[in-house]
Every structure is written in structure tokens, then in C-alpha cells.
Amino acid sequence: MMSGGGYSALDDPKASGSVPVSTHQSLAHRPSLLAPHLSRLAQAATGPDPQTIKFTESNLQTFPPSEAKGKISGAYRPPTDSDDTFSSKVGGGGGGRGSDGGSDDAAQGGWFRMFSVAAYKPYFDVDTSDVVERIWESVFPFRGNFTEKTSDKPDLYGPFWTCTTLIFVAASIATFVTYLSHKWHKKEWTYDINLVTWSAGLFYGYVTFVPLGLYVILKYFSAPAGLVQLWCLYGYSLFIFIPASLLSIVPIEIFRWVIAGVAGFMSATFVAVNLRAHILNSGERWFLIVAGIFLLQLGLAVLLKLYFFTITV
């Protein structure tokens, strides 16, 4: 038996009535006595060992499903128009639509799609480099490869801004030329707001309804062309009139006529040469159609000269 600190304990821990000397001494000198109890307490507190749950690959889902290829595409592709109102080769001819507008497009088929804004969004998605390259092509009318380069992706962004720029350039230059002429002859000058109105009506109307009429004619002669591609071609054909209008500042009447004639010839040749290969499929009357296109474009140049740059004081 051992004694100390007012307590007594037996050497045999199993003897009845024995009391440990102290908790600290018991833990310090006999740790093996508490180890099994602590282990059981820890197991009781934490519970049984957690089981690892495994999922087989067949129970998981991958989103989006890898099998759904080519059915619904997140990117919007332009509609096709081999027989309706859009370019025949836009978007690879697939005619795909986004998932949001699929039901609406299905309900609004054919000509009704012309009046929806979403139908024209892809034609304004174009890079600046593409627009600059197409403008440069319009300056060289005899190449005749403009329709080939734009067949996969015709745009309306370039034609719209070309036409809009021409409207304000023609109206402003005509106003400036009229002002200089009146000042030269020392006469009173008043601003004519109708120049802007007539300029907008002339060029917007021409680039909209002339391709539309040509679209119907080609369809009648069994040589259909994409309407958007015709708008694209005619829109870029007007670019040459912008530098021609700037050169019309020169106060020499014969020089202005030469500038208008050269610009009209280049613009008409650009349209006629690019459409000639396609119109050859319309039969023996292809020459009349090409000649009509050429003369109509020349008429636009003459009208531009007579209305905007013929100064009367």
C-alpha cells in the first residue's frame, strides 16, 4: 500500500475500496488504464466510421448532353432564302435559329420574317475589315468577284452607312456650293432644308426598291438571287458617289459633269458585271436585264448632278 497527500491506495487497483491518490497522479502514472475508455468514448461521440458513397458514371448527367449535336445551336445563324427573302448562302444554307426564337420563326414563315428585327441582326454582325475590303472592291468595278466574296456572309451594315453618309455629304456639299455661288454673285442666300429630305428619299428609296424590283424580275425569269445580297451589292455601289460629291465643289460645270459621268459609269459597271454571270441563267433576255441595270445606275448619277450640283443664281 502507498500513502501520500492524505489519501491512501492499494497496490492492487482491483481491490475494493481503493481510491486513487489523485486524478493527476493517476493519469500521469497509469495512462494505460484510461486508454480503452477514451477510445470507446471517442467512438460513441463520432459514431461508426463514415462510409464512402460512390456514384457510377451512368448515374451522372452531363449538361449539355454530348449526344445532342447539331440540333439546337446557341449561336444564331441567319435564315436562308433560296426561295424566300434572304440570301441563298448565308449561314451555310442551314437556316438554323436560336432556341428562343424557334417557335416564333416557325409561326412567321416566308415573307413575314422580313418585318422582324431579329431576322436582320446577323447582317449587321460584320467586322470593320470586311466593310473596308468590300468598299475597296466597289472602287474596282471590273473584277466582278464581289458577289462571290459576299455570298457566304452578305451584310447590311456597310450599305446602310454608305447610303447614310452619301445622303449627308451630297446635301451638305450642295448647300456649300450654292452658298459660294450666291456669295460670288453677291446675292442673298437662304438654306434649303429640302436638300436633306430629297437626298434621303432618293438614296434610301433607290437602294431599297431597285434591288427589290430586280429580285422579283430575276425570280420571274427563273434566276432567283438573294434579296439581302442584292441590297448589299447596291449599297456598296453607291460609295463611289461620295468622293464624286466632294469633287463637285470645284466651280467648273464641265468638270462636274465629267465627275458625275465617271462615277455613274463605275457604279453601273460594278453592279452589272457582278450580276452578269448570274443573269446569264435567265435565258436570251439576260442582255436586256443587264442593260437595264446599267442604264438605271447611270440615271442615278445624272439625277444626282442635276438636282444637287446644278447651281442657278
Side-chain angles (χ1 to χ4, degrees):
M1 177 180 298
M2 298 182 296
S3 63
Y7 294 93
S8 63
L10 298 175
D11 292 335
D12 186 4
K14 296 183 180 180
S16 60
S18 65
V19 179
V21 176
S22 67
T23 303
H24 177 72
Q25 290 179 350
S26 176
L27 292 174
H29 295 285
R30 298 183 180 183
S32 61
L33 296 177
L34 293 178
H37 300 285
L38 293 175
S39 177
R40 287 194 293 271
L41 288 174
Q43 291 181 1
T46 60
D49 294 338
Q51 298 180 357
T52 302
I53 302 176
K54 296 182 179 181
F55 295 93
T56 61
E57 188 175 354
S58 60
N59 292 331
L60 298 177
Q61 292 184 351
T62 303
F63 185 82
S66 59
E67 296 179 357
K69 295 180 179 179
K71 296 180 181 180
I72 298 178
S73 174
Y76 183 89
R77 291 184 295 174
T80 60
D81 127 309
S82 60
D83 258 344
D84 52 27
T85 58
F86 297 94
S87 178
S88 56
K89 293 186 179 181
V90 173
R97 302 179 182 91
S99 58
D100 296 335
S103 59
D104 295 338
D105 289 343
Q108 297 181 355
W111 286 89
F112 289 100
R113 288 189 307 179
M114 287 186 62
F115 304 102
S116 63
V117 177
Y120 296 94
K121 283 183 179 180
Y123 302 108
F124 287 86
D125 184 14
V126 64
D127 296 332
T128 304
S129 59
D130 295 332
V131 175
V132 173
E133 181 182 359
R134 294 173 183 186
I135 289 175
W136 189 248
E137 287 289 334
S138 69
V139 180
F140 299 95
F142 294 100
R143 292 179 178 178
N145 57 356
F146 182 86
T147 54
E148 296 179 3
K149 291 185 176 181
T150 60
S151 59
D152 292 332
K153 191 179 179 182
D155 73 285
L156 296 178
Y157 180 87
F160 172 78
W161 285 111
T162 299
C163 190
T164 303
T165 304
L166 178 58
I167 289 170
F168 286 99
V169 168
S172 59
I173 295 299
T175 301
F176 181 68
V177 168
T178 305
Y179 171 79
L180 291 180
S181 179
H182 280 74
K183 289 298 181 181
W184 178 262
H185 292 86
K186 298 180 179 180
K187 292 188 177 181
E188 185 180 358
W189 173 82
T190 56
Y191 176 71
D192 187 7
I193 189 63
N194 292 325
L195 285 175
V196 178
T197 305
W198 281 103
S199 179
L202 173 64
F203 294 114
Y204 279 146
Y206 183 87
V207 82
T208 300
F209 294 107
V210 170
L212 184 61
L214 182 60
Y215 171 81
V216 174
I217 293 173
L218 294 179
K219 210 171 182 64
Y220 176 78
F221 286 105
S222 301
L227 179 56
V228 172
Q229 196 162 358
L230 292 176
W231 278 333
C232 179
L233 177 65
Y234 269 86
Y236 282 107
S237 72
L238 299 182
F239 172 78
I240 194 63
F241 292 112
I242 296 177
S245 299
L246 294 174
L247 291 175
S248 296
I249 294 178
V250 178
I252 303 175
E253 189 67 13
I254 187 64
F255 179 78
R256 291 173 179 170
W257 274 110
V258 171
I259 291 298
V262 171
F265 177 80
M266 293 179 64
S267 179
T269 303
F270 173 72
V271 176
V273 169
N274 279 281
L275 288 178
R276 177 180 175 274
H278 181 79
I279 297 176
L280 283 174
N281 300 326
S282 62
E284 298 178 354
R285 298 182 180 180
W286 70 267
F287 181 78
L288 295 178
I289 300 175
V290 173
I293 292 172
F294 187 88
L295 293 176
L296 195 60
Q297 203 80 355
L298 278 180
L300 177 66
V302 173
L303 189 61
L304 176 65
K305 167 62 181 70
L306 291 177
Y307 186 78
F308 292 95
F309 300 109
T310 299
I311 310 301
T312 57
V313 180

